[in-house]
């Protein structure tokens, strides 16, 4: 109406698929389709909807045709998979290293507990505060915990100076350092930009049903990996939307049983 094209715009009704988003917004946090899956399905629906709109123009004479694009797409797909896989491997190792450090800390706590009955109250209070700090950590919480650590170290150093204390202090420092650490922002930006650009290329380059299936698989697999890798970058985030968390059970067991 505005531009006077006179073309049939009924294909824009495809955009009504976005109304499905209201369903995911009203689901409870514990639902199978809420949180991560809900966002992923919404992105998939959005990308498939855009592809369906693009398909209405693919038979027109003015629509560009692309030949011999498979080699380029294959190389970009491989590169993107390598970037995601490399980051996933690094973050997975970091999560396991945090869990190992927590186990060593709990082992040292049990030794201090058995050696000195006068330390029980101090160790219980410290362990509870440490457990609270590393769940959904923030810089302010970590900074406050470091001050509490200094107080505990002074007490332990006066009675139990030795390798157990040295390893305990080192592991605590490592956990608190990693609690708020994240991947370099440059890597995050490159990974996100490549994923978005590659999706746009697939939308316009691969025509017909093949392009529709390609976009469906691409959006679910690559964006699913992107969100999953982004979530594992925060192993100490224990919010309702978090998918993968470090196992703090040894520390929780110490608090409950001592």
């Amino acid at each position: 109406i505005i531009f006077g094209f006179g073309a049939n715009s009924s294909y824009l009704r495809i955009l009504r698929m976005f109304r499905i988003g209201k369903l995911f917004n009203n689901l409870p946090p514990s639902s199978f389709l809420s949180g991560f899956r809900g966002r992923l399905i919404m992105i998939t629906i959005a990308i498939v909807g855009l592809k369906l709109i693009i398909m209405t123009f693919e038979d027109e004479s003015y629509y560009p045709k692309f030949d011999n694009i498979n080699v380029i797409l294959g190389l970009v797909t491989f590169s993107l998979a390598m970037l995601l896989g490399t980051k996933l491997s690094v973050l997975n190792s970091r999560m396991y290293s945090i869990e190992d450090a927590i186990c060593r800390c709990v082992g040292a706590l049990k030794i201090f507990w058995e050696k000195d009955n006068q330390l029980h109250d101090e160790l219980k209070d410290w362990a509870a505060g440490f457990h609270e700090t590393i769940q959904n950590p923030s810089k302010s919480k970590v900074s406050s915990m470091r001050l509490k650590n200094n107080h505990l170290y002074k007490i332990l150093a006066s009675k139990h100076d030795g390798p157990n204390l040295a390893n305990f202090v080192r592991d605590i420092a490592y956990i608190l350092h990693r609690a708020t650490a994240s991947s370099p922002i440059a890597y995050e930006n490159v990974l996100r930009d490549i994923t978005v650009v590659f999706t746009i290329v697939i939308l316009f380059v691969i025509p017909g049903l093949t392009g529709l299936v390609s976009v469906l698989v691409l959006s679910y697999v690559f964006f699913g990996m992107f969100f999953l890798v982004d979530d594992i970058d925060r192993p100490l985030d224990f919010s309702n939307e978090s998918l993968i968390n470090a196992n703090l059970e040894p520390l929780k067991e110490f608090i409950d049983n001592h």
Side-chain angles (χ1 to χ4, degrees), residues 153-186:
Y153 298 158
K154 290 179 181 179
I155 297 175
L156 293 175
S158 63
K159 298 182 179 182
H160 303 283
D161 190 13
N164 286 331
L165 179 58
N167 293 331
F168 177 73
V169 172
R170 181 193 62 190
D171 290 330
I172 293 300
Y174 174 81
I175 295 170
L176 291 179
H177 170 69
R178 288 298 186 183
T180 56
S182 60
S183 299
I185 189 64

Side-chain angles (χ1 to χ4, degrees), residues 121-156:
D121 291 338
E122 290 286 348
L123 294 177
K124 284 175 60 177
D125 293 341
W126 180 89
F130 184 67
H131 184 263
E132 181 180 356
T133 298
I134 62 177
Q135 288 194 81
N136 305 317
S138 63
K139 291 185 177 180
S140 60
K141 291 170 65 176
V142 170
S143 179
S144 299
M145 193 64 214
R146 287 194 175 106
L147 296 177
K148 295 179 182 179
N149 292 346
N150 294 335
H151 174 69
L152 178 66
Y153 298 158
K154 290 179 181 179
I155 297 175
L156 293 175

Side-chain angles (χ1 to χ4, degrees), residues 36 39 94-95 98-99 102 131-138 141 175 178-182 227-248:
F36 166 76
R39 294 198 306 270
R94 188 177 78 185
M95 184 177 69
I98 291 175
E99 292 178 347
I102 290 175
H131 184 263
E132 181 180 356
T133 298
I134 62 177
Q135 288 194 81
N136 305 317
S138 63
K141 291 170 65 176
I175 295 170
R178 288 298 186 183
T180 56
S182 60
F227 284 131
L228 189 65
V229 169
D230 183 65
D231 184 84
I232 201 175
D233 198 11
R234 298 182 299 274
L236 296 175
D237 179 10
F238 286 82
S239 61
N240 292 331
E241 295 184 355
S242 182
L243 301 172
I244 301 174
N245 310 117
N247 187 358
L248 306 183

Side-chain angles (χ1 to χ4, degrees), residues 8-45:
N8 185 3
S9 62
S10 60
Y11 60 86
L12 292 176
R13 294 176 182 174
I14 296 172
L15 297 177
R16 292 181 178 178
M17 289 195 306
F18 294 120
R19 294 180 177 178
I20 299 176
K22 296 180 180 179
L23 170 65
F24 300 110
N25 291 332
N26 296 325
L27 290 174
S30 59
S31 174
F32 178 78
L33 295 177
S34 63
F36 166 76
R37 292 188 182 91
R39 294 198 306 270
L40 183 56
I41 292 175
M42 271 305 303
I43 289 177
T44 302
I45 291 174

